[in-house]
Amino acid sequence: MEMLINVPETVVADALRGMAAAHPELTVDVENRVIVRSDAPVAGKVALVSGGGSGHEPLHGGFVGPGMLSAACPGEVFTSPVPDQMVRAAAAVDSGAGVLFVVKNYTGDVLNFDMAAELAEDEGIQVAKVLVDDDVAVTDSLYTAGRRGTGATLFVEKIAGAAADEGRPLEQVEVIARRVNEASRSFGVALSACTTPAKGSPTFDLPAGELELGIGIHGEPGRERRPMMTSGEIAEAAVDAVLTDLNPRNPVLVLVNGMGATPLLELYGFNAEVQRVLGERGTAVARTLVGNYVTSLDMAGASVTLCEIDEELLGLWDAPVRTPGLRWGM
Amino acid sequence: MEMLINVPETVVADALRGMAAAHPELTVDVENRVIVRSDAPVAGKVALVSGGGSGHEPLHGGFVGPGMLSAACPGEVFTSPVPDQMVRAAAAVDSGAGVLFVVKNYTGDVLNFDMAAELAEDEGIQVAKVLVDDDVAVTDSLYTAGRRGTGATLFVEKIAGAAADEGRPLEQVEVIARRVNEASRSFGVALSACTTPAKGSPTFDLPAGELELGIGIHGEPGRERRPMMTSGEIAEAAVDAVLTDLNPRNPVLVLVNGMGATPLLELYGFNAEVQRVLGERGTAVARTLVGNYVTSLDMAGASVTLCEIDEELLGLWDAPVRTPGLRWGM
C-alpha cells in the first residue's frame, strides 16, 4: 500500500498541523504533541485525558471536545506517548476538580500513564485512572498482560465525558468509567494486514482468501485464521464471542467499527448481520454506531463492541457531544 | 482485497438494512431503495433529492437529514439509480414547495434524473435540477460528457440544504445550488485502485510505486501516472490544478476528502500540506473539512475541493446540519 505522507519521521507532526488547521476549536501543541479543548480548563469540571499510539484515528485526538475528552496525547504510530505529554495535558485542563486518565491496556501505555499520574500528583493535580480492557479474543497478547483495550474506549470516553460535563466529582466520574468498561466487550476481525509508515510493508502476513478472527488493533494475533467467511458468518463469530463473555440481561450499545480500509457500504451491511444475530440471541439493542472510530491504519476488517447499559448510562450516552470524530445534540 | 460482504448481489440491500438499524431518524425503503428523512415532507420547505451509484458512502444516503438532503436514491455499486426511485423519493418528500434534484454529471445519472423530473412533473410535483461538474482533471471521461461531479456535491447538498431549511422558494434554492457548483473545483489522486464487489478484482491497474493524478471517483483515468510523490508534492499538484481553473479572489471552503482506504492520520497530514500551498498561493481559507465523504470503495488516495464563498454562502455552510455523515450545530 502506497502512503499519502512526506517521510515516516514527520507523519504524526504533519497530522497534528493538519488537525490544527481544520479544527480551530482545538489547541494543538505540535511540538509537545498535546491536543486540548481551546476552552479548557472548564471551571469546576473534572477533566478527561487519554492518549495512545497514533494510527487509530479518530481515537483519541478526534474525541477531544465538549462532552468527551479534555485533552489527548498522541504517541508515534502504534507507540505509547510519554509521561511528559500526559502531565502537560493534565496541567492544561485541570480546573482543580481533578483529572481522569483513560488508559487502554497496553504495557507501554499503562506504565507511562502510571508515571504521569505520580508526576501530576506531585504538581498538586488530583488524578484517577481507568483501564480499558474489553477485547475478549485473547488473554495476554503481544503488547498486553490481560485483555487488550479496543472499541470500548469510545464508550468509556463518551459516557464518562458526559458525567464530567454534568459536574460530577472525580470519584463518581471514575466509577462511571469503570462501570462502562466492565459492561463492555469487543471482538475484531482482519481481512488484511496494516502497514506502518516506518516499516513500509504489512505488519503481519495474511494470505489472500484468509481472515484472522480476534485480531488486535495493531495486528496482534487473534484466535485463529480461517478461509474467507461471509459477512453473516463473521457477525455470528464476533457477536457470539462477545456474548459468551458478557451475557447481557439489559439492552446494549452496539459499535460496529471499521478497522480503516473497509468501505462504509460494507460496514453498514455488516451491521445488518450483527443486528440479525443479536436479535436471534435475544439481546435488545438500545443504540447503534457504525463507522471508522478505533482504526488500525489501513487494515481492512471490523470489530464489534457491545456495552450493557441501564437508564443512567443511556442518558449519558445520549448527552450532547461536540468533537471532530463524534458529534450530536449540540 | 477481501470484502466484508455476503454475496455481491445483496451488497446494497444489506447496507440499507444496516443503515435502517443504525438510524431510526431515517426511513429506509430497502425494497425500493429510497432513504428519506422520517419527518418528511416538511410543510412549506423545498425538498432536496439526490442519488447515484453506491460505493461513495457516506454520499448520498449519509447526507439525508435536517439541513441537507430530504431523500437519497442509491443505485447498484457505481451504477445510476433508476427514475422510479427518484420519483418515489420526490413524492415522499414534496410538501408542495417543490423538489430540487442534485445530479452528479455522469451520463446515466443525468438521463435518469431527466426522465424522473418529467415523470414527477406529470404527478404534479414541481422539479428543478442542478448538475454538479467540479472535477477539473479532464474534460469528458469514461462515463461523462464534460467535467465529472465529485467532492463539490457535498458543498452543493449542504449549502442548498441550508437555503431550503430557511424556507427559500425553489427558484432561489436552485440558484444557490448553481452558484455553489460554479464556485467549486476538485482534483483527485489515486494511490491504489478500488475493487467492486461484482468484479472482485481491481477496476484498473495501478502498479506499486505509482500514482494517478486526476483520478475520477470510479477510477476513471486522470491526467497522468507518475512515480510516487510526497504528500507535499501531491498537495501542490492538486491545489494548483484547482486554482488554475478557479482563480478565487475570496476565501474558500476546503474539503480534503479521503477516497476510502487512506487513514485519517494521512488525510490530516495531507491537509497540512494543502493549507501550506494555499497560503503560498495567497488563497484565504474560511473553513476546512477533512475526512471520508465522497469515497470510491477501498481506493487509497484523496481529493481536494475548493469552493469560493461570500458571506451568504458561508452563513449557509455554518448553518446547523444533522445527518449520519455530517453534523453540527444541532
Side-chain angles (χ1 to χ4, degrees):
Chain A
M1 173 68 80
E2 305 302 327
M3 292 178 194
L4 186 54
I5 64 173
N6 288 317
V7 291
E9 293 73 22
T10 64
V11 163
V12 174
D14 289 349
L16 290 175
R17 287 191 297 127
M19 273 202 87
H23 301 293
E25 72 278 16
L26 302 179
T27 301
V28 180
D29 181 340
V30 177
E31 191 187 339
N32 294 302
R33 303 200 172 180
V34 179
I35 302 163
V36 178
R37 280 175 61 162
S38 294
D39 61 351
V42 178
K45 193 183 89 64
V46 167
L48 268 73
V49 172
S50 192
S54 293
H56 307 300
E57 289 68 26
L59 183 85
H60 299 268
F63 297 150
V64 175
M68 213 160 167
L69 294 179
S70 311
C73 315
E76 280 299 311
V77 170
F78 292 176
T79 302
S80 175
V82 295
D84 180 56
Q85 291 171 268
M86 301 156 183
V87 175
R88 252 177 220 280
V93 299
D94 181 35
S95 68
V99 177
L100 178 69
F101 284 168
V102 180
V103 187
K104 301 198 300 303
N105 190 30
Y106 299 97
T107 305
D109 291 328
V110 172
L111 288 173
N112 287 324
F113 270 108
D114 276 353
M115 189 176 303
E118 285 180 27
L119 293 169
E121 281 171 352
D122 288 347
E123 293 186 17
I125 301 170
Q126 197 188 351
V127 176
K129 286 175 296 186
V130 59
L131 194 68
V132 183
D133 62 343
D134 53 307
D135 186 346
V136 302
V138 291
T139 46
D140 300 345
S141 185
L142 213 50
Y143 311 111
T144 316
R147 290 192 311 234
R148 300 177 292 225
T150 59
T153 315
L154 183 149
F155 289 147
V156 170
E157 293 178 357
K158 169 66 185 77
I159 293 173
D165 257 26
E166 285 188 351
R168 300 197 198 187
L170 183 58
E171 314 85 77
Q172 281 187 31
V173 175
E174 181 189 354
V175 166
I176 289 277
R178 278 187 209 287
R179 274 177 57 202
V180 173
N181 179 59
E182 283 162 14
S184 298
R185 299 288 190 284
S186 296
F187 192 85
V189 178
L191 308 189
S192 79
C194 56
T195 299
T196 61
K199 190 160 185 286
S201 59
T203 51
F204 63 103
D205 183 53
L206 186 55
E210 292 188 19
L211 55 78
E212 174 116 10
L213 288 172
I215 197 81
I217 58 173
H218 312 90
E220 307 96 313
R223 288 187 175 176
E224 58 174 323
R225 291 220 171 151
R226 287 217 202 152
M228 194 57 202
M229 297 158 68
T230 65
S231 169
E233 291 165 345
I234 294 171
E236 284 161 18
V239 169
D240 285 342
V242 167
L243 290 181
T244 299
D245 211 88
L246 186 65
N247 193 25
R249 285 159 305 176
N250 298 306
V252 295
L253 304 178
V254 179
L255 170 62
V256 171
N257 173 63
M259 291 298 192
T262 289
L264 194 52
L265 184 73
E266 296 178 23
L267 291 179
Y268 274 119
F270 182 54
N271 180 48
E273 297 298 330
V274 167
Q275 303 283 333
R276 172 185 62 77
V277 178
L278 286 169
E280 289 171 4
R281 304 297 183 261
T283 300
V285 173
R287 300 286 185 273
T288 299
L289 186 66
V290 179
N292 292 308
Y293 293 102
V294 182
T295 61
S296 304
L297 293 170
D298 63 336
M299 187 187 289
S303 62
V304 176
T305 304
L306 304 183
C307 175
E308 183 179 9
I309 46 132
D310 55 22
E311 283 304 311
E312 182 186 26
L313 297 185
L314 184 60
L316 292 167
W317 174 254
D318 285 342
V321 60
R322 190 171 73 230
T323 73
L326 203 66
R327 183 188 288 258
W328 57 68
M330 290 185 165
Chain B
M1 173 68 81
E2 306 302 328
M3 292 179 194
L4 186 54
I5 64 172
N6 286 316
V7 292
E9 292 72 22
T10 65
V11 163
V12 175
D14 288 350
L16 290 174
R17 287 192 296 126
M19 274 203 86
H23 301 294
E25 72 277 17
L26 303 178
T27 301
V28 181
D29 181 339
V30 178
E31 190 186 340
N32 294 302
R33 301 199 173 182
V34 179
I35 301 164
V36 178
R37 281 175 60 163
S38 294
D39 60 352
V42 178
K45 192 183 89 65
V46 168
L48 268 72
V49 172
S50 191
S54 294
H56 307 299
E57 290 68 27
L59 182 87
H60 298 271
F63 297 151
V64 175
M68 212 160 168
L69 294 179
S70 311
C73 316
E76 278 300 310
V77 171
F78 292 176
T79 303
S80 174
V82 295
D84 180 57
Q85 291 171 266
M86 301 157 183
V87 176
R88 252 177 219 279
V93 298
D94 181 37
S95 68
V99 177
L100 178 69
F101 284 167
V102 179
V103 187
K104 299 197 302 303
N105 190 29
Y106 299 98
T107 305
D109 291 329
V110 172
L111 288 174
N112 286 324
F113 271 106
D114 277 352
M115 190 175 303
E118 285 180 29
L119 293 168
E121 280 171 353
D122 288 347
E123 293 186 17
I125 301 170
Q126 198 189 350
V127 176
K129 283 176 296 184
V130 58
L131 194 68
V132 183
D133 62 344
D134 53 309
D135 186 346
V136 300
V138 292
T139 47
D140 299 346
S141 184
L142 213 50
Y143 311 111
T144 316
R147 291 194 310 236
R148 299 177 294 223
T150 60
T153 316
L154 182 149
F155 289 146
V156 171
E157 294 178 355
K158 169 66 184 79
I159 294 174
D165 256 28
E166 285 187 351
R168 300 196 198 187
L170 182 58
E171 314 85 76
Q172 283 189 29
V173 176
E174 181 188 355
V175 166
I176 289 278
R178 278 187 210 286
R179 275 178 56 203
V180 173
N181 179 59
E182 283 161 15
S184 299
R185 299 289 189 283
S186 298
F187 191 86
V189 178
L191 308 189
S192 80
C194 56
T195 300
T196 60
K199 188 159 185 287
S201 59
T203 51
F204 63 103
D205 183 52
L206 187 55
E210 292 189 19
L211 55 77
E212 174 116 9
L213 288 172
I215 197 80
I217 56 173
H218 313 89
E220 305 96 314
R223 287 186 177 178
E224 57 175 325
R225 292 224 171 146
R226 285 218 204 151
M228 193 58 202
M229 297 157 69
T230 65
S231 168
E233 291 165 347
I234 294 171
E236 284 160 19
V239 169
D240 285 342
V242 166
L243 289 181
T244 299
D245 212 88
L246 186 63
N247 193 23
R249 287 160 304 175
N250 298 304
V252 295
L253 304 178
V254 179
L255 170 62
V256 170
N257 173 62
M259 291 298 193
T262 289
L264 193 52
L265 183 73
E266 295 178 24
L267 291 179
Y268 273 119
F270 182 54
N271 179 49
E273 297 298 329
V274 168
Q275 303 283 332
R276 172 185 63 77
V277 179
L278 287 168
E280 289 170 5
R281 304 296 183 264
T283 300
V285 173
R287 300 285 185 274
T288 300
L289 186 66
V290 179
N292 293 307
Y293 293 103
V294 182
T295 62
S296 303
L297 292 171
D298 61 338
M299 188 188 288
S303 62
V304 176
T305 304
L306 303 183
C307 175
E308 182 179 12
I309 47 131
D310 56 21
E311 285 302 312
E312 181 186 26
L313 296 186
L314 184 60
L316 293 166
W317 174 255
D318 285 342
V321 59
R322 191 170 73 231
T323 73
L326 203 66
R327 181 188 290 257
W328 56 70
M330 287 186 166

